[in-house]
């Protein structure tokens, strides 16, 4: 009987976690960035830690969007200085970046779990690294 209860518990957990993963289409890189905008790809590789949380990303103190586990967001914005950070109760490490017209940037969202709290980080990464990790992410709506 214990054997069946254990198997049932595992199945229930798997079904619950399936709902925490982003749906949508696979990553497609924009061929052209509008001439008056900058493009930032935010992505969050599928990871068990923090998977149940949708993370709100802020841009210069304004809510920009929420990102789910295993998701990417195409974020078109005005060029200039931007401070991106998450709106969570965890410790947050913001990323400040000067965006240029017509350029594309890649920012990876991740959670580092510590002894007492987690730390959300938005890290700018090279295109080559991002494109490899983006293969496993699905689109999200901004």
């Amino acid at each position: 009987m214990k054997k069946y209860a254990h198997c049932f518990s595992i199945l229930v957990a798997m079904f619950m976690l399936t709902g925490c993963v982003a749906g949508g289409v696979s990553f497609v890189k924009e061929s052209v960035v509008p001439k008056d905008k900058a493009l930032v790809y935010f992505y969050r590789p599928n990871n068990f830690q923090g998977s149940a949380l949708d993370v709100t990303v802020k841009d210069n103190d304004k809510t920009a969007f929420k990102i789910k586990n295993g998701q990417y967001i195409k974020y078109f914005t005005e060029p200039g200085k931007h401070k991106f950070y998450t709106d969570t109760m965890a410790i947050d490490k913001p990323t400040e970046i000067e965006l240029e017209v017509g350029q594309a940037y890649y920012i990876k969202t991740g959670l580092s779990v510590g002894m007492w709290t987690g730390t959300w980080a938005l890290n700018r990464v090279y295109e080559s690294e991002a494109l490899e990790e983006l293969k496993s992410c699905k689109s999200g709506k901004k």
Side-chain angles (χ1 to χ4, degrees):
M1 185 69 170
K2 281 186 175 182
K3 178 180 173 183
Y4 294 115
H6 181 70
C7 289
F8 180 74
S9 298
I10 290 172
L11 284 173
V12 169
M14 286 174 54
F15 284 119
M16 288 176 62
L17 289 175
T18 303
C20 300
V21 177
V25 297
S26 297
F27 177 74
V28 177
K29 184 179 174 185
E30 287 289 322
S31 56
V32 177
V33 177
K35 295 184 187 219
D36 62 337
K37 299 284 185 187
L39 170 58
V40 184
Y41 292 100
F42 286 86
Y43 70 99
R44 187 175 164 198
N46 194 3
N47 192 348
F48 179 75
Q49 293 176 329
S51 60
L53 301 174
D54 292 353
V55 179
T56 300
V57 174
K58 293 201 167 203
D59 178 4
N60 294 336
D61 298 325
K62 294 181 183 173
T63 299
F65 55 85
K66 285 190 176 192
I67 190 165
K68 296 176 183 275
N69 192 37
Q71 189 176 60
Y72 75 92
I73 303 284
K74 292 179 188 178
Y75 183 65
F76 292 95
T77 189
E78 301 299 319
K81 191 170 187 170
H82 290 260
K83 179 181 176 182
F84 297 112
Y85 59 98
T86 65
D87 184 18
T88 65
M89 292 181 66
I91 297 169
D92 189 47
K93 294 197 176 177
T95 294
E96 292 187 29
I97 188 169
E98 182 78 31
L99 302 177
E100 296 180 17
V101 174
Q103 296 298 310
Y105 303 86
Y106 300 86
I107 297 181
K108 180 178 180 178
T109 306
L111 175 67
S112 298
V113 178
M115 181 83 130
W116 304 109
T117 187
T119 303
W120 285 100
L122 301 173
N123 297 310
R124 185 172 174 195
V125 296
Y126 290 109
E127 181 180 47
S128 58
E129 177 186 343
L131 292 177
E132 191 61 36
E133 292 178 317
L134 278 161
K135 289 178 183 177
S136 66
C137 294
K138 302 294 184 187
S139 69
K141 294 182 180 178
K142 184 186 105 40

